[in-house]
Amino acid sequence: MVSAPMGKDEDDEVSSVDIDDEEEEDEDEQAANDLSKADIVTKYRCAGTIANDVLQQITSKISPGAKVVELCDFGDDKVAELTGKVYNQKKEGKKVDKGVAFPTCISINNCVGHYSPLKSDGDLVINEGDTVKIDLGVHIDGYIAVVANTVVCGGEAPTGRKADVMQAAWVAAECAQRMFQEGATSTEITEMISKVAKAFECTAVEGVLSHQMKKHVIDANKVIINKASTEHQVKEAKIEANDVVGFDIVMSTGDGKPRQLDQRTTVYKRDLQEKYNLKMKASRAFCSEVSQRFPTLPFTLRAGDERAWRLGVTECVKHGLFIEYPVLYEKAGETVAQVKFTALLLPSGNVARITSAPAPDVKSEFKIEDEALLEILSRPTDSKKKKKQ
């Protein structure tokens, strides 16, 4: 049955406006993440340069007796200081937003990550021989660069299992950079990570994700899982031009199944899709302040009034307003190593790796012998564009 033509009603007008708004938002998002624009790439590179610099400065302070909380504070303060020296001109009458994109975390030995203690919990110190993972992020105008590296405190070049796991993480990161090409799939990169782990008789840690990143978004839709398992699976993603990925490679000498102990979670991120009318005054004050200071990116409770924020965050998390980054651990006695870097796949097909750390000075008894992995490692990483014949 065909209905008679009807006049345009109010609902039709609202639907039309909604569709136009969605299309406009899509166009705006595409323009904001277009790597063919030199100013966008420049902001990414600037964030990367600062992240590398802060990582190096923290590394130089790793010594026996150094307090973890002081190193975390130093890292966040240094990011604020260095980002405060760039892009100080106003953009369309507004200041360019910049600063910490992921709070400094210092995770030791079998701690997998996200350890960024409060000052009231800051008794942990680094000891000679500890394996130390440094993880942080920087953004300029919402364009994010993340970086992480693993070092050993003091002494000679690491050997044994420490050397194996550190070398495994570094080699897998080098392979990931070379595989970051248009048409490659997340599954292929995950399989490569497992192969490298096996070569060094280590295990890729479950639950770790490498995220696509966009302006103001540290965890966009595309993900590469560090290790696929029955409990941890993700939808396959294909690498495309204009993709920006924070590659996160985490290896363990143990079973690679991290678990949460009694350590307090201190790193959170606002979940903008969740809404709830908070009942407690402390919760409302906390949510309001965080929404102004950290509207989309992760933060640590150490960045505010610790006592008030600890009280306020509880109700917010209970009702899903904030996403937790829990402190996770491998079995006691095992060692975990991490390498994280940020790479941009430019429209030209070239890869710009904007964060990195030096190769580990270690002596592993293992080496890569798999022909497929050797072929990947033999690929050049220079970004010189080949001239057309």
Side-chain angles (χ1 to χ4, degrees), residues 131-145:
T131 305
V132 183
K133 294 169 287 297
I134 309 165
D135 187 5
L136 60 96
V138 177
H139 82 96
I140 301 291
D141 196 21
Y143 296 103
I144 303 163

Side-chain angles (χ1 to χ4, degrees), residues 134-346:
I134 309 165
D135 187 5
L136 60 96
V138 177
H139 82 96
I140 301 291
D141 196 21
Y143 296 103
I144 303 163
V146 292
V147 68
N149 194 35
T150 305
V151 297
V152 173
C153 177
E156 299 178 354
T159 58
R161 298 303 284 148
K162 286 181 184 178
D164 299 337
V165 74
M166 290 173 66
Q167 188 70 4
W170 184 78
V171 169
E174 291 296 301
C175 287
Q177 178 185 351
R178 289 159 174 79
M179 294 177 71
F180 187 48
Q181 296 291 335
E182 193 167 2
T185 67
S186 57
T187 302
E188 292 169 346
I189 296 174
T190 299
E191 290 173 349
M192 172 276 295
I193 295 171
S194 293
K195 280 186 178 181
V196 172
K198 185 177 180 180
F200 289 92
E201 295 191 1
C202 294
T203 308
V205 175
E206 294 182 11
V208 176
L209 299 175
S210 297
H211 282 281
Q212 176 195 21
M213 299 190 294
K214 295 183 178 181
K215 186 176 183 181
H216 295 299
V217 182
I218 201 169
D219 51 0
N221 294 334
K222 292 183 184 179
V223 294
I224 302 167
I225 195 165
N226 198 54
K227 181 183 180 181
S229 64
T230 306
E231 297 82 11
H232 301 93
Q233 296 187 29
V234 297
K235 182 181 178 181
E236 183 175 74
K238 185 170 287 189
I239 304 299
E240 299 174 296
N242 272 317
D243 279 350
V244 179
V245 175
F247 285 94
D248 195 1
I249 312 294
V250 186
M251 298 288 191
S252 172
T253 59
D255 61 11
K257 297 179 183 292
R259 54 216 31 98
Q260 191 172 357
L261 302 180
D262 57 357
Q263 193 63 52
R264 187 199 312 274
T265 297
T266 63
V267 180
Y268 298 87
K269 182 175 76 72
R270 179 78 169 89
D271 188 343
L272 297 176
Q273 295 181 342
E274 294 294 328
K275 307 292 181 185
Y276 179 77
N277 291 324
L278 295 164
K279 304 296 188 294
M280 292 177 58
K281 182 178 179 181
S283 304
R284 294 195 298 271
F286 164 75
C287 190
S288 176
E289 184 177 355
V290 168
S291 295
Q292 290 180 354
R293 294 179 57 193
F294 308 100
T296 63
L297 296 173
F299 64 94
T300 170
L301 296 181
R302 202 177 52 254
D305 182 323
E306 288 188 8
R307 185 177 179 182
W309 280 26
R310 280 170 54 187
L311 180 63
V313 74
T314 305
E315 184 185 7
C316 295
V317 171
K318 181 180 179 181
H319 295 285
L321 298 182
F322 287 83
I323 296 169
E324 296 181 282
Y325 290 81
V327 184
L328 300 173
Y329 289 87
E330 174 60 280
K331 291 179 180 178
E334 303 293 350
T335 302
V336 177
Q338 177 187 29
V339 174
K340 184 188 287 186
F341 68 93
T342 304
L344 286 58
L345 183 53
L346 304 175

Side-chain angles (χ1 to χ4, degrees), residues 26 85 90 128 156 212 249 312-313 384:
D26 289 342
K85 296 179 179 179
K90 288 188 176 181
E128 181 89 15
E156 299 178 354
Q212 176 195 21
I249 312 294
V313 74
K384 292 180 181 178

